[in-house]
Amino acid sequence: MALKPPLSDLPINTADSGFYRGFSLNVTIISKIIISVLVVWAIVWPEWAGEVLGAWNQVILRNFAAWYIWTVTLFVVVCLGLALWPTAGRLNLGQDGEKPEFSNFSWFSMMFGAGIGVGMLTWAVAEPVAHFQNNPSVIQGVTTALEADNVRTAYVWSFLHWGLGAWACYAIAGLALAFFSYRRGLPLTIRSSLTPLFGKSLSGVLGHIIDIVAVVATILGVAQTLGFGVEQFVAGLSRIGISGLALEDGSATSLGIVVALLVIMGASTLSALSGVGKGIKWLSNINMVLSIVLLGFFILFGATFFGATAFFVGIFDYLVALPWLSINVYASDGVEGSEAFKLAQWQGWWPVFYWAWWIAFAPFVGLFLARISRGRTIREFVLGAMIVPSLMCFVWFAWAGGTAIDLELNGGADGVILGAANGDKIFAMTAYMLEPISQVLSWAMAVMIVVLLMTFLVTSADSAVLIVNTINAAGDEGPKARPHILFWGAALALVVGGLLISGGTGAIQTAMVIGALPFSIVMVLMCIALIKAIYNDGRREAAGIPTLSDDIPDAMPAE
C-alpha cells in the first residue's frame, strides 16, 4: 500500500453559541454529569458508595495487579527506546527549527510542580519511614523492621514508586500529545494521540469516549493528590497555631477540610483564570525556590552523610532490582495472614496503587507537559521529563526521608516521627530538630512548609482545571468561558471534600484506582500509535512525502 501524508485534520464538533460556545457538548456535559453523580453519591450515600467502590477495588486489585505493573514497565521501555532510537530522538515536538517557549528553569519548575511536587512534602518523609517499618523483605523475614539492615530495602521501594515508572506515565502521554498536536497540527486533546490507529473515526463517538475517560481520570487523579495535600495542609495550620482544624492524631476535621479547600481552590481558580504563562509559571518558580531552600536545610542540617549514602547506594540498589521489580507480581493464596497473602496485599497497597495514581494523573500532567514542551526534541523531553525529575525525587527521599530514619535509628527521636500521621511527619521532624534551638525558628520553618505546600497544591489544582477545559474545548488552549473554569474548580473541591468527609483518603484512593483502569488501556494504545507514527514518518521522509502540518497541502489525501 502506497504511503500517504499523515492525518493533519481531525474536526471535533463544538457549540457555536451559548453557554458552551467553543466546547464539545458530548465531552463536557457527560463529564460533568459523571463527576456530579460521583459527588452526590459520595456525600448523600457514603456507606453505599464506600461498599460499592471497595468491592470494585478488590476486584481490580485481584485481577489487574499484573496489568498495572507490566503496563508501567512498557511505558519505561518505550520512553527510553524512543530517546535512544535515532529516528525518534532527534524529532522536534513542533515544526522543524522551532524553539521552546519556556526557559529550562521555568519548564522544569512547572513540570515538577504539576507532576509530583506536592507529593514530596508528604511522601519524601513518610514513605521511606513506612518501608523502614514494613516491606516485602520484612514480610519474608529477610530484613528486620526498624533496624539498620532494612534501610537499603526501604529505599529500593521508595525509589521504585517515585522513579522512572512514575515519570514514564507522564512522558508517554506528553510525548504522544505534543507529537500529534504540534507536528501534525491536530487538536491538543487525548483522542489525537490515537489517530494512527483509528484515523478520522476519532471525530465521533469513539473520540468522545476517550476524552471523557481522560477527564474523569484527571479529576480523580488530582483529587487523590489534593486529598493527601489537604490533610497535610491542615496539619501544618495546626502546627503554626491555628486550632480547631485537626484532631489529636493530626487528622483533619470536617471544618479543617472545608477551610483548606476554600483557601486552596479559591487561589487555584484565580491562578487558572490568569493562564499558564502568568499565574502557573510564577507559582511554579516560587515553589521551586522554596523547595530548594527546604531541601538545602535537610542536606546541610539533617542527616547529611546518611542521606548521601541513601542517595547513591539507593540508586544502585534500585537499578539492580528494577528489572525484577518491573515484572514481579505477588500471587495471593487466599489464606488471610499467610506470607503469600501479605505480599499480594502489600503490593496492592503500594506499587499497584501508585501505578494507578500516576496513570490517572497522566492525562492532566501529560497534556500540561505537551503544552509547555513545544519546540523540544523527543530525546530532550525524555531526559527532562523522566530522568531529571526522577533524580530530584531521589534527592528528596534520600535527605528528607533519610533524616527521619536517622533520627529514629540513631538520633533519639523515640517514635516522635514514626507516630505522627503521614501528613504531619515532616512537621514533627522539623519541630524535633529545631525546637531545642529556637521555638521561633521551628514555627518559621512550619510556616515556610505550609506556604510551599499551598503553592504546590494550587499549581496542581489550577493546572488540572485548565487541562480539563482544554480537553472539553476540543484542544483549544486559549482562555475561554470563565464559568467553566469556576465549575471545574468547584467540582474538584467537592470531589475531594465529599470523599474525604465520607470515607477519608481511602475513598479517594479507591475511586482513583477504578478510574485509572480504562485510561491505562488508552495509554497502551498511545504507545503503539506513537511508535507506528514515527516509523512511518521515517519511511515518508525517505520517500519525500511531507510529515509536518505546515508542509502538508490541504488537498492531499491522508492516511
Side-chain angles (χ1 to χ4, degrees):
M1 182 177 176
L3 279 174
K4 298 179 181 179
L7 183 68
S8 61
D9 180 40
L10 186 67
I12 302 173
N13 289 332
T14 57
D16 296 325
S17 60
F19 182 70
Y20 286 100
R21 183 174 64 85
F23 285 81
S24 167
L25 292 176
N26 296 286
V27 177
T28 306
I29 293 176
I30 294 174
S31 298
K32 286 182 175 181
I33 290 173
I34 292 172
I35 295 301
S36 298
V37 168
L38 176 62
V39 169
V40 172
W41 187 36
I43 294 176
V44 179
W45 297 285
E47 292 185 3
W48 177 35
E51 290 176 2
V52 173
L53 290 174
W56 288 356
N57 188 53
Q58 289 301 315
V59 170
I60 288 174
L61 293 181
R62 185 167 57 249
N63 297 291
F64 292 95
W67 166 260
Y68 276 120
I69 291 169
W70 296 340
T71 294
V72 172
T73 300
L74 171 68
F75 300 157
V76 174
V77 171
V78 170
C79 282
L80 295 178
L82 289 175
L84 295 173
W85 182 13
T87 302
R90 63 179 171 77
L91 291 177
N92 189 314
L93 296 174
Q95 303 300 300
D96 285 344
E98 193 169 347
K99 300 299 181 183
E101 177 183 356
F102 299 101
S103 68
N104 287 337
F105 182 81
S106 291
W107 179 53
F108 181 74
S109 297
M110 288 189 284
M111 176 171 54
F112 191 76
I116 288 183
V118 66
M120 290 298 94
L121 294 180
T122 300
W123 296 108
V125 176
E127 181 152 349
V129 169
H131 299 327
F132 183 49
Q133 293 174 284
N134 189 40
N135 62 61
S137 294
V138 174
I139 295 172
Q140 294 170 316
V142 178
T143 58
T144 310
L146 301 177
E147 296 294 340
D149 69 334
N150 195 38
V151 173
R152 291 177 66 171
T153 308
Y155 272 97
V156 168
W157 288 105
S158 298
F159 286 4
L160 175 72
H161 299 152
W162 295 80
L164 298 178
W167 290 94
C169 294
Y170 302 159
I172 281 295
L175 277 175
L177 289 164
F179 182 90
F180 291 104
S181 295
Y182 299 136
R183 289 185 66 82
R184 299 282 172 83
L186 299 174
L188 186 61
T189 187
I190 305 299
R191 70 178 79 185
S192 296
S193 62
L194 303 185
T195 49
L197 302 179
F198 302 108
K200 290 188 176 181
S201 64
L202 291 167
S203 290
V205 174
L206 178 61
H208 300 331
I209 292 172
I210 291 168
D211 283 348
I212 290 167
V213 165
V215 169
V216 173
T218 296
I219 293 297
L220 294 177
V222 176
Q224 178 68 67
T225 299
L226 292 180
F228 286 134
V230 162
E231 292 203 330
Q232 187 171 31
F233 187 68
V234 171
L237 293 178
S238 299
R239 288 277 180 176
I240 63 178
I242 301 176
S243 59
L245 302 180
L247 302 174
E248 290 184 5
D249 63 358
S251 60
T253 63
S254 296
L255 175 62
I257 292 170
V258 171
V259 169
L261 285 172
L262 285 175
V263 172
I264 293 165
M265 296 310 301
S268 68
T269 302
L270 291 174
S271 178
L273 290 171
S274 68
V276 173
K278 295 180 181 178
I280 295 176
K281 175 183 175 181
W282 284 106
L283 276 173
S284 298
N285 288 343
I286 290 170
N287 61 35
M288 182 56 67
V289 171
L290 291 177
S291 295
I292 292 171
V293 171
L294 180 59
L295 184 58
F297 168 78
F298 291 129
I299 293 174
L300 295 175
F301 302 105
T304 305
F305 180 74
F306 189 100
T309 303
F311 178 72
F312 291 107
V313 175
I315 289 178
F316 173 80
D317 289 342
Y318 162 63
L319 292 177
V320 169
L322 184 59
W324 169 245
L325 296 181
S326 298
I327 60 174
N328 177 53
V329 179
Y330 292 114
S332 174
D333 58 7
V335 180
E336 189 168 351
S338 69
E339 181 179 296
F341 181 88
K342 289 179 180 178
L343 288 170
Q345 185 181 55
W346 190 92
Q347 191 169 49
W349 285 344
W350 288 98
V352 174
F353 158 68
Y354 269 123
W355 296 163
W357 190 3
W358 304 149
I359 289 169
F361 226 46
F364 147 53
V365 180
L367 203 152
F368 185 73
L369 288 183
R371 167 66 183 83
I372 64 176
S373 301
R374 181 169 183 164
R376 299 183 184 274
T377 66
I378 287 179
R379 186 170 293 117
E380 183 182 10
F381 181 94
V382 170
L383 176 66
M386 182 175 164
I387 296 175
V388 173
S390 295
L391 290 174
M392 180 59 73
C393 289
F394 297 164
V395 169
W396 268 96
F397 276 74
W399 273 278
T403 298
I405 292 176
D406 187 50
L407 289 173
E408 289 288 358
L409 195 60
N410 306 307
D414 195 27
V416 170
I417 303 168
L418 288 173
N422 285 333
D424 195 38
K425 277 184 167 60
I426 192 169
F427 295 104
M429 180 173 70
T430 54
Y432 177 79
M433 295 170 66
L434 294 174
E435 281 184 356
I437 302 172
S438 169
Q439 291 278 353
V440 174
L441 193 58
S442 176
W443 179 85
M445 178 60 75
V447 170
M448 190 188 81
I449 295 173
V450 168
V451 172
L452 177 57
L453 178 63
M454 181 175 173
T455 58
F456 271 135
L457 288 169
V458 169
T459 302
S460 295
D462 61 11
S463 301
V465 169
L466 284 176
I467 293 314
V468 165
N469 263 335
T470 299
I471 298 173
N472 288 334
D476 187 345
E477 301 174 60
K480 56 165 50 192
R482 292 192 172 197
H484 296 283
I485 291 178
L486 296 174
F487 171 86
W488 286 111
L492 190 53
L494 288 171
V495 168
V496 176
L499 291 173
L500 275 179
I501 291 171
S502 64
T505 53
I508 304 179
Q509 177 178 331
T510 299
M512 182 271 299
V513 170
I514 295 168
L517 184 60
F519 192 71
S520 68
I521 299 170
V522 174
M523 289 187 64
V524 169
L525 294 175
M526 278 184 180
C527 294
I528 299 171
L530 190 58
I531 293 170
K532 179 181 178 182
I534 294 172
Y535 173 73
N536 283 337
D537 276 4
R539 295 173 60 209
R540 291 186 182 101
E541 287 183 0
I545 299 173
T547 60
L548 298 173
S549 60
D550 286 358
D551 301 329
I552 300 174
D554 293 338
M556 291 186 70
E559 70 172 15

